[in-house]
Amino acid sequence: MKAINYLNYFFVGFPILLITLGFVSKQSNGELIGYGLLFTVLTGLFQIVFGITMLIDEPNDKNLKMYIRGVILFFSILIINIILNLPYDIFLDYLLIIIPPVLAIYFTIITYKKATK
């Protein structure tokens, strides 16, 4: 479990590092910022895969169930937003921006608690 915790730190911290370096170095083309934003996709994929495998191993864990419900909520809102083609300034767009960081922090807390148990 400690290995998953350290991998999670890497996957969460690396995009933050790249984006921060992009702002500090004041790149005019924004390559580091773009790479950091693209790496967040890998972060989400890592967290979803390990969240599901951890839930399979421990099906009664309430925190993991809440995490998976949050993931399902995010993708449900995303699909509804795409299908309905809602205007850009709607509340759902703001939820789509807020939910992934909240889920990343929540999964980090879950893995930290399990690693220090």
Side-chain angles (χ1 to χ4, degrees), residues 81 85-95 97:
N81 204 6
N85 198 13
L86 297 172
Y88 183 71
D89 60 346
I90 195 144
F91 180 69
L92 293 179
D93 287 338
Y94 297 116
L95 280 178
I97 294 171

Side-chain angles (χ1 to χ4, degrees), residues 48-67:
I48 289 171
V49 168
F50 277 99
I52 291 171
T53 57
M54 288 168 56
L55 185 63
I56 290 171
D57 291 341
E58 303 173 34
N60 296 325
D61 190 349
K62 292 178 184 177
N63 291 326
L64 288 172
K65 286 181 182 179
M66 285 287 289
Y67 173 74

Side-chain angles (χ1 to χ4, degrees), residues 1-114:
M1 194 55 167
K2 287 188 178 190
I4 293 174
N5 190 29
Y6 291 137
L7 271 172
N8 186 49
Y9 286 152
F10 170 74
F11 275 101
V12 171
F14 195 65
I16 295 171
L17 177 70
L18 285 177
I19 292 170
T20 304
L21 285 174
F23 280 118
V24 169
S25 66
K26 296 181 183 176
Q27 288 183 330
S28 61
N29 55 4
E31 282 183 20
L32 286 175
I33 296 170
Y35 291 142
L37 292 173
L38 286 174
F39 200 84
T40 59
V41 174
L42 292 176
T43 302
L45 182 64
F46 166 80
Q47 289 188 341
I48 289 171
V49 168
F50 277 99
I52 291 171
T53 57
M54 288 168 56
L55 185 63
I56 290 171
D57 291 341
E58 303 173 34
N60 296 325
D61 190 349
K62 292 178 184 177
N63 291 326
L64 288 172
K65 286 181 182 179
M66 285 287 289
Y67 173 74
I68 296 300
R69 286 183 192 133
V71 170
I72 292 170
L73 174 71
F74 171 75
F75 283 108
S76 299
I77 292 172
L78 181 66
I79 291 169
I80 288 169
N81 204 6
I82 290 171
I83 290 173
L84 296 180
N85 198 13
L86 297 172
Y88 183 71
D89 60 346
I90 195 144
F91 180 69
L92 293 179
D93 287 338
Y94 297 116
L95 280 178
L96 289 175
I97 294 171
I98 293 170
I99 291 176
V102 171
L103 287 174
I105 293 168
Y106 189 59
F107 187 77
T108 302
I109 292 169
I110 292 171
T111 56
Y112 174 76
K113 285 181 180 179
K114 289 188 178 297

